[in-house]
Structures are given as C-alpha cells and as structure tokens.
Amino acid sequence: MTQTPKVMVKATNVWKSFGHNEVLKGINLEVKAGEVTTLLGPSGSGKSTFLRLINHLDTASAGRITVDGDLVGYREHNGALHELRPQSIAKMRSEVGMVFQQFNLFPHMSVLQNIMEAPVGVKKESKARVRERAERLLERVGLADKRNAYPGSLSGGQQQRIAIARALAMEPKLMLFDEPTSALDPELVGEVLDVMHDLASTGMTMIVVTHEMGFAREVADSVVFMDGGVVVESGRPKDVLSNPQEERTQAFLSKVL
Amino acid sequence: MNTSMNGLAVPDVSVGQRSPEKVKKLKRPGRWASYIMMGLVAVLVIQSVATNPNFGWPIVGEYFASPRVLDGLVNTLQLTFIAMLLGVVLGVILAVMRLSTNPALYGAAGLYIWFFRGTPVFVQLLFWGFISALYPTLALGIPGAEPLFSTDTNSLITPVVAAILGLALNEAAYMAEIVRAGIVSVGKGQTEAAHALGMSNMRTLRRVILPQAMSVIVPPTANNVISMLKTTSLVSVLSFPELLYATQLIYAENFQTIPLLITASIWYLIVTTLMTIGQYYTERHYNKSTRAQGLSIMRRFIELQKRRGTNDAPAR
Ligand SMILES: Nc1ncnc2c1ncn2[C@@H]1O[C@H](COP(=O)(O)OP(=O)(O)OP(=O)(O)O)[C@@H](O)[C@H]1O
Ligand SMILES: [Mg+2]
C-alpha cells in the first residue's frame, strides 16, 4: 500500500456563472484528507461560491467536484451525469460541515437544541447519545455553561463557536469555513481561531476561506490563492505567503500583510 | 446618589432635580371647545337611543340570552374557528407552492389567489350555495368508468358545508399572502444553514423557517380572525343559522326587526372586543421579538461596517 493520504476533495475544471457573470473559470484543486487548506483572494474572486459548490448549496455550471471519491450532486451512469435526488444531496451534505460568516444559528432554539437538531432530526440518532456528544462538544469549544442560552444573548465569538459545535455534532468528514471570523470584533477573533486550531490538530479535513494570515501561516497545510475565478497560485504556506511567484499574489499579500 | 456612593465629587447638582421655574401651560381653547361639542353630541345620542321606543330595548333584553340567539352565537363561533383553521392550513400550503421553483405549483397558487381575492366573498358563498345547479351529482372514480361513489350534490354540500367551503377557501387566499410574507422575512442564511446540515426542504420549513416567520404571520392573522367573525354573517344568505340568521328567523316571526338586529350587533361587539384585547396581547408579545430582531439586524449592520473598515485599512 502507498503512504500517500487519500484525496478528500477534488475539483476538476469547475466553472460557475450567475447569468452572464462568470465567477469561476476552471478551478482545479485537490485537498488531502486530514489537511487544512486556506483559500485566500480579494473580494469577489469566487471563494464563497466555490465553497458552496462543494456541498451543493449552488450547482456548478461545468466541471466536477468529488468529496471522498463521490461526485457532488450527480451520479455517473453510462458516461452521463444524472442529477441526484434531494434526499441523496441532503445525505451528502450531512457529511460535510459548514460554518458561515454570519453564524446562522437558529435564533428560536437554545444552544443545545441548535446542536442536537440535525443529528436527531436528520441522522435519526438517539437523543441521549446526541446530547452526550453535544455536551462534550460544548466543553470542547469552552461554552458548557451556555447550553441553555439562546443565540441572541451570546457574543459573536460565542455564537461562532456554537456554530462550529453544531457542524461537528454531525460528525462530518470535511469542514468548510467561509470567513468564520470576518463578522467578529477583533478581540473575539482569537477564541474562534483557537477552536479551529484545536480542530485541525485532531486531523479534521478543513477548507477555510479567511483573511487571517496568521492562521494560514501557522495552521494550514496548504494555501490556495484565487483571483478572478481561477487559482493563481497554491502550495505550502511558507512558499506562497513568504515567497509568492505570481504578481497578483504579491500584490494581494502586500495589501493584507 | 450614585456618585456619592462611589465617594466621588458630585459634578452637577441640578441633574435629577426639577427646575424651580414655574411653567405656564400653553392655552388650548380649541380643545375645550371640542370637549363641550362632543359632550353635547353624546348627550343627544344617548337621550335619543334611550327614549326612542323603536329601539325596543325591552325586546333586546328579552332575546339577548334566548336559546335561539345563543345557538346562533355558538354556530358563528364554530364557523369562525373551522373556516379560519382550514384557511390557515390551506394558506400555508398555497404560500409554500407560491414560493416553489416549480412553475406548475407557483402558477396554480398564483391563479388561486388571483381568483379568490379578486371576487367578492359574498359571490363565492352564493356559488357554493347554488353548486347543485352547476353539478347536480358528485361522483368519485376514474373518468369513463363506473363511479366508485356517487351522490346528490345537495346532500353533500349542505348549507354548513357551503358556508365552511366559501369562507375557508376565500380566507386561504389572504392567509397565503400573509404566510408568504412571513416566510420571506426569515433570512436566507437560515435556509442555507439548515440545508448545510442535511435538512430537507420540508424539515427546514417546519423546524427553522415557520417558527421564525410566526412573528410576522400572527398579528395580521389575529386581525383576520376578527374580520372572519363578522364575515360569517354573510352566510345568512345560505340559510345557515349563525348569529345573524338566527335573529332574522326570530324577527320573521315577530316583526321586531330593529331590536333583534341590535341584539346581534351587541353580541358581535362583545366578541370582537374580547378578540381585540387578545390581539393586543399577541401583538405586544410578537412585537417584542421583532424589536429584538431589529436590534440584531442593526448590530449586524454595524459589524459589517466595522469589517468594511478593517478591509479598507488592513493595518494590523
Ligand atoms: N447568488 C448569486 N447571484 C448572482 N451573483 C452572485 C451570487 N453569488 C455570488 N455572486 C457573484 O459572484 C462573485 C463572487 O462572489 P463570492 O461571494 O464567491 O466572492 P468571494 O471571493 O467570497 O468574496 P468576499 O471576500 O467578498 O466574500 C461576485 O461578483 C458576486 O456578485
Ligand atoms: Mg465570500
């Protein structure tokens, strides 16, 4: 057996347009299992769009994405792609966690209900079992005492940590983060990055869209720089961030660093 | 007090004290004139209502709590409840259809709403009443084959069924618009988060969207309940003995038209007043949550501005 880690996400020539607006113009990308990949790029470069294609919140116009070897959104049969039924898409999404810039916690549910909703309602796991897991996750994100609080009474940093716990409660094999700290006050960014750092050290496969260069440098295994809907440059953080080869990467980094 | 507790110097003595100056209130002669005018009008109206024998107050008193009137009142309340319940359920279904991406579904819902909101409910009730002229018999089965079940329309669409159908189907069209407004008021992020967790569309609607849409849906629905109570009086045309028709039956016998109409009106007023009080509390309850939501939108806006600021000047 070879020692190369298996590929968790593979994007092949992925295109996406909204009307006449070509947002992604042939993305090729590979994320290995257990690795942390950060996506960097200026606003409008298509980072969020790409992330949303990975769990089929949007549909690609062309190209293929696989997660853990399975084609996202389609089934291949006799050389043709067949759209999957909604249930199959939901099943696939339940195995991929997603964390949003605006947290998107359910405001009418308590913290514990937020975390338990999908494992109990979607995966049909027993309440007792999910509750135990939820308590453990709350402990892990340092918010065990907030289990009965409602999202509206929590700070942004606390809400985002709950959102991470909510995604992890589904025991996903891949976690997607779309600018998880961009909506936070500067003093709250650290607590969320700590949780993500901790998660990375457990071997979770993560794709993180972020402007936090410190995180990209210290935690990421690879950095992908996107601009104008294409991958301009990718590689190990110390290569891409410290010694960028492309002019566009250099220009972007000189602005954010 | 606060400052002295901290042992700090009191910075401004006048804070929290009434200024000693006398304030001359602005004279409002127009207001006094209006008090006198309204008072006079009230006296005249009361005097005329009390002394005009045609009002027939003793007869109002006699029939106010009579079994026939009370039965009519109960029928009115039941009709309101059932028509409203069906209207809400059908309205939710229509709202979801209206928001669907399936052209057949949203087209059908749109047509339904267009038709039922575009024709008077009174006319719709008449149609249900005369439905047997349109379809003398109703049958269930496969077209062309022997029907599994067949019946005379009049025995199936009785006046009460016609009344419920007429009121509920009309109400559904209005409820659909209310529910739709509620659903679209919930942010797109909620649907996305639910979908990202693997929740189906149905589950997302039931567990995430509708509970949050309630604060937009409930207050106008309470309003519609009050309207519905009064609209049920139109059903008298179908000879269903709700409150108005019950009183009409009585004055057809004793010719005391005005006193009996007054009896019905007083009952309508009593029930709508109670409902308005209930509506006040539900509205206050839901306004509280809307206010909280408004705040959080404001907070998000501020956060976004801050983020913009850091993006523009990324010095760290
Ligand atoms: N649902 C949509 N409909 C139409 N256009 C869209 C939609 N979503 C995104 N776009 C467009 O796609 C482009 C890329 O958007 P995207 O959100 O992927 O960028 P991004 O790299 O995440 O930027 P940011 O750093 O601002 O989040 C933008 O021009 C945006 O206007
Ligand atoms: Mg984005």
Side-chain angles (χ1 to χ4, degrees):
Chain A
M1 273 299 190
T2 50
Q3 279 304 93
T4 47
K6 69 171 179 172
V7 174
M8 180 57 79
V9 178
K10 188 174 165 71
T12 317
N13 199 20
V14 171
W15 289 69
K16 175 68 185 175
S17 52
F18 294 102
H20 293 298
N21 185 11
E22 296 267 14
V23 177
L24 300 179
K25 303 170 187 166
I27 299 279
N28 289 293
L29 192 67
E30 211 173 271
V31 175
K32 296 198 175 62
E35 291 201 339
V36 176
T37 301
T38 52
L39 283 184
L40 306 179
S43 182
S45 57
K47 307 180 296 292
S48 300
T49 303
F50 178 63
L51 218 55
R52 295 160 50 81
L53 294 182
I54 297 175
N55 65 357
H56 211 60
L57 283 178
D58 265 326
T59 311
S61 313
R64 292 168 177 223
I65 300 175
T66 60
V67 171
D68 203 14
D70 295 327
L71 204 52
V72 172
Y74 303 92
R75 183 170 52 86
E76 196 166 12
H77 189 67
N78 291 341
L81 295 185
H82 301 259
E83 280 184 23
L84 287 180
R85 293 186 311 161
Q87 297 95 305
S88 311
I89 291 168
K91 169 87 173 57
M92 175 258 144
R93 284 181 186 145
S94 71
E95 296 168 352
V96 178
M98 188 161 197
V99 174
F100 302 86
Q101 183 179 335
Q102 295 298 340
F103 331 133
N104 294 344
L105 290 178
F106 305 135
H108 58 300
M109 296 184 191
S110 73
V111 163
L112 213 47
Q113 287 168 331
N114 261 281
I115 298 176
M116 292 174 62
E117 176 64 28
V120 173
V122 176
K123 283 172 84 184
K124 308 293 177 199
E125 293 184 74
S126 86
K127 260 199 177 142
R129 206 182 121 139
V130 174
R131 191 183 168 107
E132 201 181 301
R133 191 189 312 147
E135 300 274 3
R136 218 172 338 109
L137 284 166
L138 281 175
E139 203 77 55
R140 191 158 142 200
V141 300
L143 291 169
D145 55 326
K146 298 290 186 193
R147 61 168 70 79
N148 293 320
Y150 279 80
S153 68
L154 301 176
S155 75
Q158 290 171 330
Q159 288 192 53
Q160 194 60 297
R161 285 187 281 158
I162 300 296
I164 294 172
R166 176 174 72 174
L168 291 176
M170 292 294 276
E171 305 189 304
K173 51 191 176 191
L174 167 68
M175 284 284 285
L176 309 173
F177 294 83
D178 192 359
E179 304 201 32
T181 58
S182 294
L184 300 177
D185 289 341
E187 74 270 20
L188 302 178
V189 168
E191 63 191 53
V192 172
L193 291 180
D194 285 347
V195 168
M196 291 169 62
H197 197 150
D198 173 59
L199 185 61
S201 67
T202 66
M204 175 63 75
T205 313
M206 297 161 62
I207 302 180
V208 185
V209 175
T210 187
H211 294 297
E212 294 296 328
M213 291 304 150
F215 181 85
R217 198 183 296 279
E218 286 156 33
V219 183
D221 298 293
S222 72
V223 168
V224 175
F225 174 70
M226 281 173 65
D227 192 10
V230 295
V231 172
V232 175
E233 190 166 357
S234 65
R236 286 179 304 176
K238 67 170 195 273
D239 296 334
V240 177
L241 298 181
S242 309
N243 189 18
Q245 301 300 305
E246 298 291 326
E247 214 170 284
R248 279 192 280 178
T249 321
Q250 291 163 4
F252 175 76
L253 291 175
S254 73
K255 270 188 267 169
V256 292
L257 284 178
Chain B
M1 269 249 278
N2 299 337
T3 41
S4 64
M5 262 165 66
N6 294 336
L8 297 173
V10 182
D12 188 356
V13 203
S14 72
V15 171
Q17 284 181 3
R18 273 188 91 128
S19 62
E21 281 95 353
K22 249 196 134 80
V23 178
K24 281 254 162 85
K25 285 256 168 69
L26 186 66
K27 287 212 174 67
R28 292 190 167 90
R31 184 172 282 201
W32 284 107
S34 70
Y35 287 170
I36 292 164
M37 280 265 291
M38 290 303 147
L40 268 174
V41 170
V43 166
L44 286 174
V45 168
I46 290 169
Q47 196 200 16
S48 131
V49 167
T51 57
N52 181 343
N54 293 337
F55 277 94
W57 291 110
I59 295 162
V60 171
E62 187 185 323
Y63 282 99
F64 187 69
S66 70
R68 291 169 79 183
V69 169
L70 290 186
D71 282 350
L73 177 66
V74 169
N75 281 340
T76 286
L77 293 176
Q78 284 175 343
L79 194 58
T80 304
F81 179 78
I82 295 171
M84 209 56 217
L85 190 71
L86 290 177
V88 168
V89 171
L90 192 55
V92 171
I93 294 170
L94 283 168
V96 172
M97 285 169 69
R98 195 91 183 94
L99 292 167
S100 143
T101 48
N102 179 339
L105 291 184
Y106 73 67
L111 216 61
Y112 181 101
I113 293 166
W114 169 76
F115 178 80
F116 281 93
R117 291 209 314 176
T119 55
V121 64
F122 189 60
V123 176
Q124 290 169 30
L125 283 166
L126 287 172
F127 261 110
W128 287 110
F130 295 123
I131 190 84
S132 64
L134 209 52
Y135 294 103
T137 57
L138 292 177
L140 192 70
I142 304 147
E146 189 72 13
L148 299 167
F149 162 88
S150 173
T151 184
D152 169 29
T153 300
N154 276 334
S155 65
L156 194 70
I157 313 284
T158 57
V160 63
V161 174
I164 291 171
L165 280 174
L167 294 173
L169 296 186
N170 181 261
E171 181 61 26
Y174 289 90
M175 280 310 303
E177 294 294 281
I178 292 174
V179 173
R180 190 169 71 102
I183 290 174
V184 300
S185 77
V186 179
K188 198 123 188 56
Q190 293 289 307
T191 309
E192 278 192 352
H195 282 171
L197 286 165
M199 291 166 76
S200 65
N201 278 332
M202 249 339 266
R203 197 176 174 81
T204 302
L205 184 73
R206 198 161 49 79
R207 301 284 299 174
V208 177
I209 306 302
L210 282 182
Q212 295 183 63
M214 279 306 170
S215 61
V216 173
I217 293 174
V218 169
T221 303
N223 213 31
N224 279 17
V225 174
I226 296 173
S227 288
M228 175 64 86
L229 180 92
K230 293 177 291 177
T231 308
T232 55
S233 64
L234 297 180
V235 162
S236 57
V237 78
L238 299 177
S239 315
F240 174 70
E242 43 67 57
L243 181 56
L244 180 63
Y245 193 62
T247 54
Q248 283 177 334
L249 285 175
I250 299 171
Y251 70 64
E253 293 163 10
N254 65 9
F255 306 109
Q256 298 290 349
T257 309
I258 296 295
L260 281 153
L261 286 178
I262 289 173
T263 307
S265 301
I266 293 175
W267 273 118
Y268 282 120
L269 268 176
I270 289 173
V271 180
T272 51
T273 304
L274 293 177
M275 283 177 167
T276 308
I277 293 169
Q279 184 194 20
Y280 169 80
Y281 283 103
T282 43
E283 221 154 80
R284 209 173 61 159
H285 173 81
Y286 281 107
N287 272 347
K288 230 180 282 166
S289 37
T290 358
R291 225 179 295 141
Q293 230 169 43
L295 266 185
S296 82
I297 286 166
M298 195 62 205
R299 203 187 313 143
R300 259 183 238 165
F301 179 74
I302 291 167
E303 272 161 5
L304 210 65
Q305 294 305 309
K306 272 190 202 149
R307 184 177 150 240
R308 289 251 166 74
T310 48
N311 275 0
D312 292 342
R316 295 220 304 153

